[in-house]
Amino acid sequence: MPEFKKIGVLTSGGDAPGMNAVVRAIVNCASQNGVEVMGIYEGYRGLLEDDMKLLEPQDVANSFSRGGTILYTARCLRYNSPEGVREAYNKCRELGIDGIIAVGGDGTFRGATDLAKAGIPTIGIPGTIDNDITATDYTIGYDTAMNTVVDMCDRLRDTCESHARCDIVEVMGRNAGYIALNAGIAVGATAILLKEFEYDEDAIIQKMIDERKSNRARSFIIVMSEGLDGYGSGNYGEELAKKVEARSEEQGCLIETRFARLAHVVRGGSPTLTDRLIGSRMGAEAVKLLLEGKSNLVVCQRNGRITTSEIKYALALDTMFKNEYAFKKCPSPKYNREKNLEGFDEATIKQMEEYCEKKYQDMKDLYKVANTLAFMD
Ligand code: F6P
């Protein structure tokens, strides 16, 4: 079993509230075990360019209440090549870094598995507000992001109600609609528009007009996930707002409609208890795994328990879920099932399919609840 004297931690990809709780947990757990922690700045860039600092428990003591990441983050193209990975491997050897913990999303895990294959033990921790890592029920930052959306929508609701308006609120999530779906239910959205499920725009607009005419509703909030028009103009929300106004005016009851893109606001802010807690648990688990001699794993939460998946498995599962379930109707043109599942036996593939099926069914069930509550069934 390798002896660990020093480990490195980096945060990469989009930042997420709770990443600092992860870093704090890693520093404190490693320190308890007599292991030093190098905080690597701006993800893999810091590793290649030797931009790092030894972190002591006092350096991270009060960081967990802060949003963002104290290690900063960046996307590093140079690392995404065999030469970049070799350079990173050499850097770890040169600096005596015996293992790496990488916090981020799927891109971060691809980088981590490359480094593991090169010979540096690595563990990944899911940190992204999008909650779009299929192997885990939870990614750090998700709860804070949803709560921020709820807070913003509540504010918008106040002014919508005063002015008898509709607000169309676009929220982040990249390709996944989890933030929009959950927060939409929590703010009593009239409709929740996601890429994962079809919806009837005309029926939604008509419903608002009918409700307004019969005095059943004065204000409306529509929550939509970003990128709904695929590679379109990127103005879908604005266009929908104009459509609501035009249709309602045609029927003699104008519903004034505004569009709000919450964008990066959703990524900032002090992490909630959930993000601090799960971040702390995952950070502690990652150190334990490395010290036990494990590598090439991603820490996950499933059914309330902290567990792991192999990174290769987690990435293939994710690709399967997105292309064969969530976005079955518009899979990536690059998707190749055989290539994605190379090296997995039939029993494992069956298990992956069942897992994806269940995950997608759970989302569908929740979407149905959302529609029932919004009287859109
Ligand atoms: O993955 C996190 C995320 O915030 C997505 O929700 C969003 O699509 C993307 O990152 C935005 O990326 P950037 O910060 O590069 O604009």
Side-chain angles (χ1 to χ4, degrees), residues 2 86 128 140 154 184 244 251 276 280-281 323-324 359:
R86 175 61 37 195
T128 161
I140 292 147
D154 286 350
V244 173
Q251 295 187 39
R276 296 179 197 202
S280 300
R281 290 179 69 195
N323 290 284
E324 297 187 26
K359 189 147 191 156

Side-chain angles (χ1 to χ4, degrees), residues 75 128-130 172-174 226 264 267:
R75 295 187 167 100
T128 161
I129 60 164
D130 303 336
M172 275 192 170
R174 202 180 293 276
E226 65 178 339
H264 294 80
R267 259 199 357 223

Side-chain angles (χ1 to χ4, degrees), residues 21 42 51 61 71 92 100 106 166 171 198 223 238 252 258 271 275 296 321 342 344 361-362 375:
E42 292 192 355
D51 187 5
L71 294 178
C92 288
I100 291 279
D106 51 0
C166 169
V171 303
E198 280 174 12
V223 177
E238 283 101 324
R258 299 286 190 264
D275 281 320
N296 220 347
F321 181 74
E342 219 169 67
F344 294 106
Q361 190 57 47
D362 286 349
F375 299 100

Side-chain angles (χ1 to χ4, degrees), residues 40-54:
I40 300 167
Y41 291 110
E42 292 192 355
Y44 294 104
R45 186 206 60 80
L47 186 54
L48 293 180
E49 295 177 11
D50 202 349
D51 187 5
M52 50 187 89
K53 167 181 181 279
L54 269 182

